[in-house]
Amino acid sequence: TYSPEGAQLATGSLDGTVKLWDARTGRELTAFNAHSSGVERVIFTADGHGLITSGRDDAVRFWHKGTQAQVTETSLGRQTPEDFVLARRSWDGRLVAAGSSDGTLLLLDGRSLARLGTWRSRGRNWDLCWTRDDQRLITSSSRGGMHGQDRGSVESWSVRDLREVLT
């Protein structure tokens, strides 16, 4: 993912490493161990000074970009080791949504990762995105296996009351 100003790129890998790159030259700037297993998502904070990562180790972590020091962490409390965790920052950066493949969804504070709400989708969460006004979270989920083995659903959730508003 690109930094807000577009100067850097952040990537995560299956070995739990996060790397920062110069977006113009492609030169690696730094690398650090972020998770004990695969990194699912890396997102910059809205101000570009922090990174939020999510991984297969059930953790969502907030990092100081300059020092790579972990600031805080939260867990989804997943049920099985096959679950993965996705995270997306709201457009204004005040909120982070996290979803697990076990159907758990969390609404988190964008700086502290404090839990603001927990609810469940209809199935495995494959992706999350925010509407541009940050009032709704859109999730794509499925009830069965991977790779189109069942019919998935797209759900729209009100962030104000964590209620489904459109399916």
Side-chain angles (χ1 to χ4, degrees):
T1 185
Y2 281 94
S3 61
E5 76 286 350
Q8 293 182 345
L9 183 66
T11 61
S13 62
L14 290 176
D15 67 359
T17 303
V18 168
K19 293 183 179 183
L20 293 177
W21 307 83
D22 183 301
R24 188 177 57 78
T25 66
R27 182 175 62 86
E28 182 181 315
L29 301 173
T30 190
F32 62 97
N33 291 324
H35 292 271
S36 61
S37 57
V39 176
E40 290 292 333
R41 291 276 162 82
V42 181
I43 51 180
F44 283 89
T45 56
D47 64 10
H49 297 296
L51 293 168
I52 297 170
T53 62
S54 61
R56 291 185 175 257
D57 58 1
D58 189 43
V60 177
R61 296 189 173 114
F62 185 106
W63 304 88
H64 184 274
K65 186 182 79 170
T67 63
Q68 293 85 51
Q70 183 178 322
V71 177
T72 190
E73 152 179 358
T74 192
S75 168
L76 270 76
R78 66 189 178 150
Q79 303 302 311
T80 67
E82 294 81 31
D83 288 338
F84 56 83
V85 177
L86 307 170
R88 292 272 189 211
R89 172 182 56 83
S90 63
W91 289 91
D92 66 9
R94 293 181 313 111
L95 300 171
V96 170
S100 175
S101 58
D102 73 354
T104 303
L105 292 162
L106 294 181
L107 186 64
L108 307 168
D109 180 86
R111 294 296 291 177
S112 68
L113 297 184
R115 217 176 267 221
L116 303 175
T118 304
W119 74 107
R120 293 192 60 80
S121 66
R122 294 179 186 209
R124 296 173 66 90
N125 293 304
W126 293 109
D127 209 351
L128 316 167
C129 69
W130 290 88
T131 56
R132 188 63 181 103
D133 64 4
D134 291 335
Q135 297 301 304
R136 291 185 182 178
L137 180 69
I138 310 301
T139 60
S140 64
S141 63
S142 65
R143 290 193 184 113
M146 298 173 65
H147 311 297
Q149 296 173 358
D150 71 347
R151 293 190 59 190
S153 64
V154 174
E155 300 152 354
S156 177
W157 305 92
S158 166
V159 177
R160 185 176 59 248
D161 56 11
L162 307 182
R163 176 178 60 82
E164 188 173 6
V165 292
L166 181 66
T167 303

